[in-house]
Amino acid sequence: WLRTNAESYLAAVERRRFIEVSNTMSERRKVAIVVGGGPAPGINAVISAATIRCVLDGVDVLGIQDGFQWIMHGDIDHVLPLKIDEVSRIHSRGGSLIGIARANPTTDTRFLENTVLSLLRLDVAQLITIGGDDTAYTAMRLEEHSAGRIHVVHVPKTIDNDIALPPEIDTFGFQTARHHGAEIVKNLMVDAHTTSRWYFVIAMGRKAGHLALGIGKAAGATLTLIPEEFGLNRIPFKAITDTLVGAIIKRLAQGKRHGVAVIAEGVVEGIDPSELAGIDGVERDAHGNLRIAEVAIGGILKQAVQERLRQFGLKTTIVAKDIGYELRCADPIPYDVEYARDLGYCAAKYLLSGGRAVMVSLQGGEFMPLPFRQLLDPATGRTRVRCVNVHSTRYGIARRYMIRLRRDDFANPHEIARFAAVAHLSLEEFRDQFGYLIGDEPPALLLQLAETGTPSA
């Protein structure tokens, strides 16, 4: 009897212990990580640092594969449990261990609810999103829609550098992309000089020209065109063409038949679609953005510039070259490795401490959470985009080093006479053809003298 009852007692204890352990396990919530948008160097460093921080705190981590592509449809089979051993050495590698996608759950509240329910089914209560302005908007909407069921923190990522951070704070991936982009352009400049040709280099930057300007300035390109310099209105295609033609004429007047122009792809979105053949049929992504890669803007500009040059009896060899995909999955440079690891650590630590609904940033070496509500543009209802400040000293210096028609040129009759002679035009004809280009030129760069407070040009 004693043996029988003892065995029953021990069995009951074991059952109770099993239930307690099971309840503890079911109450233990996981942190998930998802990457949206396009690749950028440093993603793996964020994933690695965030995972290590969570696991060391006893929290399991799930990598949601391929962005929101699966979970927004209720599919929870595409997940990757993340352990320290798997992520400890991925911080210096490009790409994304868990993939990436531009799938957009904000297009329908059903997709948002599916996403929340999918995460809950996976025992996820906290989410780290990694991405650009579109993914930041998704993070905001997801946090709002979940009504406390899921806590979300966003890590800003994009080689375009256009997320609404303070002016001095870059997004991770930008510095690496600029570094490798500048190396490519430097090589093209040597080729251009060797072969007496022009290169039109189209750089990524859908909404802002930070990357194009950074590459062009660092490499010492002949000139760089960004959408911000043309103002907020529609960009006249003729102004882009004439700016390039004017630069070629100016170089010819200097006895040089070569050059490299870096052009931000975002100028396409500012052009009236009627001015670009076939652009109406170009596909848009899940966020409504024009798939610029499908618009052969380099080839279109090449053809337009060559046709314009023929009007002046001039001919030059032009090669259109797109760069961007070569930059997005490059191994991050040390700056971005360190920076991205810090962001990943802060994102995980903030979540585990009970934080939510912020974008993570480091300012002056210190963690600074930026509440989601501060990121919204009241005019558009979307996340604010940080554009190049064309009135800044940085941009003013860049313009001073570019070889393009300037206000100073038109104020000097000797210079204009040289350019007009190259174009087989009279001085007045040249002014009529190209004088309008200086209308949007920024004012002369003035630097304040500390001793006297007097501005110096």
Side-chain angles (χ1 to χ4, degrees):
W1 182 88
L2 287 174
R3 184 181 299 109
T4 302
N5 281 273
E7 290 175 351
S8 299
Y9 175 76
L10 290 174
V13 169
E14 286 301 315
R15 282 197 302 271
R16 182 177 180 83
R17 183 179 301 167
F18 176 78
I19 292 170
E20 289 176 350
V21 171
S22 298
N23 288 338
T24 301
M25 291 179 65
S26 65
E27 292 172 1
R28 180 176 178 176
R29 293 293 182 253
K30 302 181 180 73
V31 170
I33 302 174
V34 64
V35 188
I43 291 173
N44 281 329
V46 176
I47 293 172
S48 173
T51 298
I52 292 171
R53 180 65 270 158
C54 289
V55 173
L56 289 178
D57 273 15
V59 178
D60 293 334
V61 181
L62 292 179
I64 306 299
Q65 294 177 307
D66 307 322
F68 294 96
Q69 179 174 323
W70 305 108
I71 60 172
M72 65 185 277
H73 295 289
D75 185 339
I76 61 172
D77 292 332
H78 299 267
V79 296
L80 180 67
L82 299 177
K83 307 294 183 183
I84 290 180
D85 286 346
E86 286 89 14
V87 303
S88 63
R89 305 309 303 168
I90 67 172
H91 55 273
S92 60
R93 299 203 323 248
S96 169
L97 176 69
I98 57 177
I100 198 166
R102 294 190 184 278
N104 180 13
T106 69
T107 58
D108 193 315
T109 54
R110 291 175 299 177
F111 292 151
L112 285 172
E113 183 63 14
N114 284 344
T115 302
V116 171
L117 293 179
S118 295
L119 293 171
L120 292 176
R121 288 165 60 199
L122 291 166
D123 282 338
V124 169
Q126 297 163 310
L127 177 68
I128 297 173
T129 59
I130 306 171
D133 58 302
D134 290 327
T135 308
Y137 180 71
T138 298
M140 292 181 211
R141 291 290 311 281
L142 196 60
E143 166 76 31
E144 178 185 21
H145 181 85
S146 73
R149 291 176 290 173
I150 305 291
H151 292 184
V152 185
V153 168
H154 183 68
V155 179
K157 169 272 306 173
T158 172
I159 65 172
D160 295 348
N161 202 31
D162 60 358
I163 297 179
L165 291 164
E168 71 279 6
I169 308 299
D170 293 330
T171 54
F172 82 79
F174 167 72
Q175 291 288 354
T176 298
R178 182 178 68 163
H179 174 84
H180 290 291
E183 291 297 313
I184 293 172
V185 171
K186 282 163 58 179
N187 292 338
L188 292 177
M189 291 175 67
V190 175
D191 190 272
H193 180 271
T194 302
T195 60
S196 297
R197 65 176 63 182
W198 273 77
Y199 278 96
F200 290 173
V201 178
I202 312 300
M204 283 188 167
R206 188 179 71 234
K207 299 175 182 177
H210 297 284
L211 183 60
L213 187 67
I215 290 172
K217 191 174 181 182
T222 311
L223 74 158
T224 302
L225 298 183
I226 59 174
E228 292 91 335
E229 68 178 85
F230 297 97
L232 299 176
N233 299 320
R234 282 289 188 186
I235 301 173
F237 185 62
K238 184 176 184 298
I240 299 171
T241 301
D242 281 353
T243 299
L244 295 168
V245 170
I248 292 171
I249 289 174
K250 188 170 182 176
R251 291 281 285 175
L252 288 172
Q254 297 170 343
K256 297 174 181 178
R257 296 184 294 153
H258 65 279
V260 174
V262 180
I263 304 160
E265 64 178 1
V267 298
V268 177
E269 292 207 343
I271 297 172
D272 188 332
S274 64
E275 295 192 62
L276 293 177
I279 197 172
D280 288 333
V282 175
E283 185 181 351
R284 293 180 178 268
D285 66 20
H287 295 273
N289 303 306
L290 197 70
R291 289 194 182 277
I292 297 178
E294 296 184 16
V295 182
I297 186 62
I300 293 171
L301 283 174
K302 169 185 171 179
Q303 182 178 351
V305 167
Q306 288 179 327
E307 177 59 34
R308 185 81 163 115
L309 287 171
R310 278 194 287 270
Q311 297 174 12
F312 307 121
L314 300 174
K315 182 179 180 181
T316 189
T317 300
I318 300 173
V319 177
K321 168 70 175 175
D322 290 349
I323 61 172
Y325 293 113
E326 302 94 328
L327 314 179
R328 303 193 307 173
C329 284
D331 289 344
I333 61 174
Y335 173 91
D336 273 328
V337 172
E338 178 188 357
Y339 181 29
R341 294 185 86 184
D342 288 349
L343 291 174
Y345 177 95
C346 289
K349 187 73 173 178
Y350 190 76
L351 265 181
L352 297 176
S353 301
R356 57 187 285 196
V358 302
M359 182 167 73
V360 176
S361 77
L362 286 167
Q363 302 179 31
E366 300 295 334
F367 168 69
M368 185 69 66
L370 301 175
F372 280 164
R373 63 182 180 274
Q374 294 182 7
L375 306 180
L376 281 177
D377 184 339
T380 64
R382 304 284 299 185
T383 46
R384 288 184 288 115
V385 174
R386 178 176 61 183
C387 295
V388 173
N389 179 5
V390 294
H391 302 291
S392 66
T393 300
R394 176 173 175 261
Y395 181 73
I397 294 171
R399 283 292 288 254
R400 297 290 287 188
Y401 279 105
M402 294 182 198
I403 299 176
R404 57 195 291 178
L405 294 178
R406 297 178 48 200
R407 190 178 295 112
D408 294 350
D409 295 327
F410 285 89
N412 186 334
H414 300 288
E415 285 293 289
I416 291 297
R418 292 171 59 212
F419 304 158
V422 170
H424 306 104
L425 297 172
S426 68
L427 268 66
E428 288 308 312
E429 287 174 332
F430 190 86
R431 289 180 187 277
D432 290 341
Q433 293 276 357
F434 296 99
Y436 76 96
L437 292 175
I438 65 173
D440 293 325
E441 182 180 339
L445 183 63
L446 299 177
L447 302 180
Q448 202 77 14
L449 299 181
E451 296 83 359
T452 64
T454 304
S456 172

